[in-house]
Amino acid sequence: MKFFVDTAEIDQIKELNDLGMVDGVTTNPSLIMKSGRDILEVTKEICAMVDGPVSAEVVALEADDMLAEGRKLAKIADNIAVKVPLTWAGLKTCKTLTDDGIMVNVTLCFSANQALLAAKAGATFISPFIGRLDDINMDGLDLIEDIRTIYDNYGFETNILAASIRSANHMSECAKIGADVATAPPNVIKAMANHVLTDKGLDAFMADAKKAGIKIV
């Protein structure tokens, strides 16, 4: 499973990228706002740092306007994936951009039917939002499983990009289901390394090393 980091903060991306933990980046208008940077400027900087796809989202609602924005975003770098919402206008934009050879990430997916439409429109990525479904007492992981089944049934090449990930548990469950990609905030990716027994064992080893006077350098 590939890891995309869900942020527009350059320092956070660089830290994880240097560790080999970044296969791509996803951004959205909220993350761009939080960064305080110009969308074109910060996206260009991220694209230069990361080899994999970098999702940059349109802000228009009508298909013609989405298409114009998408084409402008795609000119930033070869690894741009234009992000469009899962609406009819977004699907129309997806089909046109895909036919032009541009990667497209269809976002705000909350049903298997929506994911099926995105695949038919040629989406490179479909972004089902796990956490937001959990927020309304639905199981977001069930959606990932349903999409995996449908895509495997018919050989769709659209990548399942699990989004709105809130916990390290979401990451491991998505990996078990077979999501192609999971995009998560930096703190969630870092939390995957944490385990209480690791901490307990390390404390014991360090205490014994101190008692024995063990020094290596």
Side-chain angles (χ1 to χ4, degrees):
M1 185 174 70
K2 292 182 179 179
F3 286 6
F4 286 7
V5 60
D6 195 34
T7 186
E9 300 293 338
I10 295 295
D11 290 345
Q12 294 177 348
I13 295 169
K14 185 178 187 307
E15 178 186 6
L16 289 171
N17 192 51
D18 288 347
L19 288 172
M21 299 297 174
V22 177
D23 299 298
V25 174
T26 54
T27 69
N28 59 46
S30 298
L31 293 173
I32 295 294
M33 181 185 71
K34 188 182 293 186
S35 76
R37 302 278 302 279
D38 173 76
I39 182 173
L40 300 179
E41 178 186 85
V42 71
T43 303
K44 183 176 182 179
E45 190 171 347
I46 293 169
C47 286
M49 180 188 307
V50 176
D51 291 332
V54 175
S55 289
E57 189 165 346
V58 301
V59 294
L61 296 177
E62 301 299 326
D64 289 345
D65 296 330
M66 283 187 192
L67 188 57
E69 290 182 357
R71 285 176 170 156
K72 183 172 183 178
L73 290 170
K75 290 179 181 178
I76 294 174
D78 291 339
N79 55 334
I80 282 286
V82 176
K83 202 173 184 183
V84 300
L86 213 160
T87 61
W88 279 114
L91 292 171
K92 182 178 180 180
T93 303
C94 173
K95 181 65 167 64
T96 303
L97 292 175
T98 297
D99 288 347
D100 289 344
I102 296 169
M103 290 187 292
V104 179
N105 178 355
V106 180
T107 190
L108 292 171
C109 172
F110 294 98
S111 76
N113 278 336
Q114 289 180 317
L116 181 54
L117 290 172
K120 296 284 284 184
T124 312
F125 302 100
I126 182 66
S127 291
F129 277 41
I130 299 173
R132 295 195 191 185
L133 283 171
D134 289 352
D135 289 344
I136 59 170
N137 293 319
M138 297 181 70
D139 192 334
L141 291 167
D142 285 347
L143 176 57
I144 302 296
E145 190 168 6
D146 288 346
I147 298 171
R148 181 76 281 159
T149 298
I150 291 170
Y151 282 10
D152 288 349
N153 280 349
Y154 300 103
F156 287 117
E157 295 182 359
T158 298
N159 287 268
I160 301 172
L161 195 167
S164 187
I165 285 180
R166 306 278 177 79
S167 67
N169 184 61
H170 273 162
M171 295 291 282
S172 58
E173 291 301 314
C174 284
K176 287 190 284 185
I177 292 168
D180 300 291
V181 187
T183 185
N187 65 303
V188 171
I189 295 175
K190 288 182 176 181
M192 294 173 69
N194 298 339
H195 198 288
V196 63
L197 293 181
T198 300
D199 296 338
K200 184 177 180 179
L202 186 58
D203 287 344
F205 290 159
M206 292 303 98
D208 288 343
K210 185 176 181 180
K211 288 178 184 177
I214 296 173
K215 293 183 179 179
I216 298 175
V217 292

